[in-house]
Amino acid sequence: MAQNKNDKKKSQPAEPLPTRQQVVLSGTKPTGEHLHLGNYFGALRQFVDLQNKHDTVLYFIADYHSMTSVRNGAERRRNTEAVALDYLAAGLDPDRAILFRQSDLPEVTELTWLLTSITPMGMLERAHAYKAAMDKGEDIDHGLFTYPVLMAADILLYGSHLVPTGRDQKQHIEMARDMAQRFNRLYDCDALVLPEPYILDDAASVPGTDGRKMSKSYGNTISMFAAKGRVKKAVMGIVTDSAPVEDPKDTSQAVFELWSLFATEAERAEMFERAAAGGLGYGDVKKDLLARLMDYFEPMRTRRAEYEQKPEQLEAILRDGVQRARALAMPVLEACRSAAGLGVP
């Protein structure tokens, strides 16, 4: 797919390909035991919906990526299995979408090297994650520095057209485009498709229990499938202001935003009216939030438990997924190898 090097990067394709022809790809790094509400309402719910709109949808569990932060093999395996279970519980259909472990397809590391050899240092030095780590004075290893190249290989290896992402992750897709353009230009080929970021406009911005964006790194998450006692502890620990029960309440606080995720428009209007009038206790809001949250995820919790009792079925899904992913990857990799003069002509 040839592109003019002066093409501007767009948050949405100007002229989308016919819906059924697009390859859609997304990945999740297994760095914790359970996905949380921010993962679900901010991305996973919309990702699952995409399997009903496109013929080729890939979701990979980025266990290679987790190696920059998780240094325990047994923990990585547990986390990887947990992500697979969470995706299936949330409604991913392995007959419609391709679910696989990143490390089961090591061809991605070969493409990573091909891209590394043409990626300028200056591009990697501009990466947000690297700059943030530098600002914090962290001990930066090569894995973190070259992280965007592995991510670009993840995207480019399957000829992906659309990459669902939040606005804060858009830079990674832009860098993948830059690497693809540079490779295609240097080797006078069109081996690599230039992907587009697919910004999920209806994705919810989910606050954590402390009011900041919900994130594992902040330790402010509410897990979708954790033990009920742990979920209750997280919900009841949501930070609120010190307004007494009889006073009006500020509905921009995290507890109201989280409650709103599980309420209808009419219910939200009624709750906010009660909050403005005074006499509403934060404890009552939290109890109602907990009940709604547990009811909402109960069918998913049941489905997850069923998969968890059948590890051989889960493994079969991942094995089938990597075979289907490899069928997409190999023509791309072979085209790159041929253009670069590698292997038998």
Side-chain angles (χ1 to χ4, degrees):
M1 183 170 126
Q3 293 274 339
N4 186 299
K5 67 179 181 180
N6 294 319
D7 280 356
K8 295 182 178 178
K9 303 174 183 66
K10 302 174 281 293
S11 62
Q12 296 273 0
E15 296 182 1
L17 297 171
T19 299
R20 306 302 291 185
Q21 296 180 12
Q22 292 174 329
V23 176
V24 182
L25 175 135
S26 182
T28 298
K29 185 165 64 173
T31 55
E33 292 188 358
H34 291 291
L35 298 180
H36 54 72
L37 299 189
N39 299 135
Y40 179 75
F41 287 105
L44 181 53
R45 181 177 58 172
Q46 293 82 358
F47 292 172
V48 169
D49 185 55
L50 289 173
Q51 70 187 0
N52 301 317
K53 299 178 180 178
H54 302 272
D55 272 340
T56 307
V57 179
L58 299 96
Y59 297 108
F60 68 94
I61 306 167
D63 49 350
Y64 277 149
H65 283 291
S66 72
M67 296 185 75
T68 61
S69 55
V70 177
R71 302 296 165 85
N72 181 289
E75 180 183 354
R76 189 178 345 277
R77 289 191 182 92
R78 287 196 302 271
N79 293 347
T80 298
E81 178 182 310
V83 171
L85 289 170
D86 289 353
Y87 265 76
L88 292 168
L92 186 141
D93 183 347
D95 291 329
R96 293 185 177 183
I98 300 172
L99 177 66
F100 64 102
R101 281 181 297 251
Q102 181 188 33
S103 62
D104 282 347
L105 212 158
E107 289 86 348
V108 72
T109 61
E110 181 174 356
L111 182 57
T112 298
W113 177 249
L114 298 184
L115 296 175
T116 298
S117 67
I118 57 91
T119 300
M121 291 276 288
M123 181 190 298
L124 300 180
E125 290 170 342
R126 292 191 293 273
H128 296 326
Y130 171 74
K131 291 170 67 176
M134 285 288 290
D135 291 343
K136 295 176 182 177
E138 295 180 0
D139 184 16
I140 299 171
D141 55 33
H142 183 261
L144 176 63
F145 184 67
T146 58
Y147 196 96
V149 189
L150 177 56
M151 187 171 289
D154 287 323
I155 295 168
L156 300 173
L157 184 58
Y158 312 99
S160 309
H161 298 101
L162 297 177
V163 183
T165 186
R167 297 186 186 280
D168 59 340
Q169 295 294 313
K170 185 180 174 184
Q171 185 193 46
H172 290 297
I173 292 86
E174 293 174 343
M175 293 176 77
R177 285 176 57 90
D178 289 342
M179 292 178 210
Q181 286 178 314
R182 186 174 174 85
F183 185 93
N184 286 349
R185 184 177 72 253
L186 289 174
Y187 288 110
D188 191 25
C189 67
D190 59 357
L192 297 174
V193 171
L194 272 63
E196 295 281 358
Y198 183 74
I199 307 299
L200 300 170
D201 291 329
D202 61 340
S205 177
V206 180
T209 56
D210 61 358
R212 294 182 293 176
K213 178 182 177 181
M214 188 172 289
S215 171
K216 294 173 187 175
S217 61
Y218 293 151
N220 63 358
T221 64
I222 301 175
S223 297
M224 297 160 56
F225 303 119
K228 294 182 180 181
R230 182 179 163 193
V231 175
K232 179 179 180 180
K233 181 178 179 180
V235 170
M236 300 310 290
I238 296 171
V239 175
T240 60
D241 62 27
S242 57
V245 172
E246 61 272 14
D247 283 5
K249 303 298 185 296
D250 176 8
T251 55
S252 67
Q253 294 182 83
V255 66
F256 288 104
E257 291 189 51
L258 290 166
W259 180 89
S260 294
L261 294 172
F262 302 96
T264 66
E265 185 174 345
E267 288 172 332
R268 285 194 292 271
E270 180 182 356
M271 173 65 81
F272 290 175
E273 184 177 341
R274 289 180 59 197
L280 176 65
Y282 289 125
D284 293 333
V285 181
K286 291 177 181 181
K287 290 176 183 177
D288 192 45
L289 166 59
L290 178 62
R292 290 170 180 265
L293 186 159
M294 297 308 298
D295 286 346
Y296 184 92
F297 287 110
E298 188 57 34
M300 300 184 204
R301 295 171 73 93
T302 300
R303 187 158 54 238
R304 191 183 194 279
E306 291 172 353
Y307 275 111
E308 198 167 14
Q309 295 301 313
K310 301 175 182 177
E312 69 288 346
Q313 182 181 3
L314 177 63
E315 187 60 27
I317 289 170
L318 295 174
R319 292 291 185 188
D320 176 68
V322 77
Q323 291 179 10
R324 293 157 66 193
R326 182 170 278 114
L328 295 171
M330 290 311 299
V332 176
L333 183 58
E334 289 302 323
C336 290
R337 287 174 57 85
S338 176
L342 300 172
V344 179

